[in-house]
């Protein structure tokens, strides 16, 4: 699975959009981009995933560049409860079942 | 919203003792997983389980570890002879199909003394 690179930390003001970037320049055609988050020491929480089209659900939007070498997770109106470590993970459809977690981005939402 | 339930939330055990960590996955899910996170470190994959057998395991998942789905609802992780370095948060997860989003439980904190 392709390696991902994320900034170690970011800050965001409450109520504003949080845009979390992820680079995955070695991604191949059958690899999906997944986003999870981990609030304090709780279990990771699935947010969204996509292949090449932009995706939106009730939690977030995922924007994948046309060349698929990077993506951005957007939390449209961040709240204090969105403070967490956000993980961008690339995974092959039909390949290994495991999720390989990196260090992620620690997002702090400030009042 | 359906949840993955893990028990106990915290377990303290003596080195060399056997422990069993329990999980109740979401009822219609078919794929089951165990992950662990040593304090301050990354979340690490241990094992995946499908159709009543292990489908993938990591190097961490050695002969001291085993998994079982004894009754169609529970999914257990057994560590036969615990070591100090097994101290970690252990997370169970399940998914309805492979390569879909997982639902994780809230974890069991295992402390080996």
């Amino acid at each position: 699975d392709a390696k991902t690179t994320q900034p170690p930390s970011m800050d965001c003001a409450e109520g504003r959009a949080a845009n979390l970037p992820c680079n995955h320049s070695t991604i191949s055609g059958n690899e999906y981009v997944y986003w999870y988050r981990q609030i304090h020491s709780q279990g990771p929480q699935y947010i969204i995933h996509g292949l090449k089209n932009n995706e939106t659900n009730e939690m977030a939007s995922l924007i994948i560049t046309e060349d698929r070498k990077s993506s951005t997770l957007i939390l449209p109106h961040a709240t204090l409860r969105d403070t967490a470590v956000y993980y961008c993970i690339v995974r092959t459809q039909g390949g290994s079942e495991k999720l390989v977690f990196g260090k992620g981005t620690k997002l702090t939402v400030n009042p | 919203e359906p949840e993955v339930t893990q028990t106990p939330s915290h377990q303290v055990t003596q080195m060399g003792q056997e422990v069993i960590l329990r999980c109740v996955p979401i009822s219609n899910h078919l794929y089951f997983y165990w992950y662990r996170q040593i304090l301050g470190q990354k979340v690490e994959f241990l094992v995946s389980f499908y159709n009543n057998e292990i489908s993938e395991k990591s190097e961490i998942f050695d002969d001291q570890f085993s998994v079982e789905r004894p009754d169609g609802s529970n999914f257990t992780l057994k560590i036969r002879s615990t070591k100090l370095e097994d101290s970690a948060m252990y997370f169970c997860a399940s998914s309805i199909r492979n390569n879909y989003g997982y639902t994780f439980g809230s974890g069991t904190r295992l402390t080996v003394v």
Side-chain angles (χ1 to χ4, degrees):
Chain A
D1 294 331
K3 184 176 161 56
T4 62
T5 305
Q6 299 178 254
S9 64
M10 292 183 65
D11 284 273
C12 176
E14 188 178 19
R16 305 297 293 268
N19 297 282
L20 292 98
C22 179
N23 283 319
H24 30 79
S25 57
T26 60
I27 194 169
S28 59
N30 62 346
E31 289 182 313
Y32 281 70
V33 180
Y34 289 77
W35 284 84
Y36 284 77
R37 72 181 181 183
Q38 188 175 26
I39 297 172
H40 195 46
S41 295
Q42 297 177 24
Q45 179 187 20
Y46 166 77
I47 302 172
I48 199 166
H49 74 283
L51 182 63
K52 53 185 177 182
N53 297 320
N54 297 337
E55 302 287 344
T56 295
N57 63 20
E58 66 278 4
M59 288 183 70
S61 295
L62 174 60
I63 308 297
I64 303 174
T65 58
E66 197 168 334
D67 63 7
R68 303 208 323 120
K69 293 186 176 182
S70 65
S71 60
T72 301
L73 179 75
I74 301 172
L75 307 178
H77 304 287
T79 71
L80 299 179
R81 289 179 296 179
D82 291 322
T83 292
V85 179
Y86 287 77
Y87 301 100
C88 169
I89 299 169
V90 169
R91 192 157 165 239
T92 303
Q93 182 77 329
S96 170
E97 297 174 42
K98 67 184 178 187
L99 296 171
V100 179
F101 287 84
K103 294 183 179 179
T105 295
K106 174 66 192 291
L107 174 70
T108 302
V109 181
N110 299 305
Chain B
E1 189 169 326
E3 290 183 344
V4 172
T5 305
Q6 290 188 244
T7 55
S9 57
H10 191 183
Q11 173 130 17
V12 181
T13 188
Q14 295 230 323
M15 191 169 54
Q17 295 296 304
E18 174 183 287
V19 294
I20 297 176
L21 309 183
R22 303 181 192 280
C23 169
V24 179
I26 293 173
S27 60
N28 63 339
H29 284 190
L30 302 176
Y31 295 83
F32 312 110
Y33 313 90
W34 284 100
Y35 285 74
R36 80 172 186 190
Q37 186 174 32
I38 295 169
L39 187 63
Q41 298 188 24
K42 299 176 189 177
V43 178
E44 301 174 290
F45 169 77
L46 292 178
V47 66
S48 57
F49 191 87
Y50 169 71
N51 202 24
N52 283 320
E53 60 182 24
I54 290 173
S55 46
E56 189 171 353
K57 61 183 180 179
S58 71
E59 293 174 354
I60 303 167
F61 195 89
D62 61 22
D63 292 343
Q64 293 298 312
F65 291 87
S66 62
V67 290
E68 197 176 35
R69 190 156 159 78
D71 56 13
S73 61
N74 291 284
F75 180 51
T76 62
L77 174 70
K78 183 193 292 187
I79 309 175
R80 257 180 276 284
S81 177
T82 49
K83 304 188 277 282
L84 295 176
E85 54 265 37
D86 293 327
S87 295
M89 282 289 286
Y90 287 81
F91 295 110
C92 174
S94 68
S95 65
I96 195 162
R97 59 177 183 266
N98 190 14
N99 287 327
Y100 202 67
Y102 295 177
T103 302
F104 282 82
S106 54
T108 293
R109 178 171 298 284
L110 176 66
T111 303
V112 182
V113 297

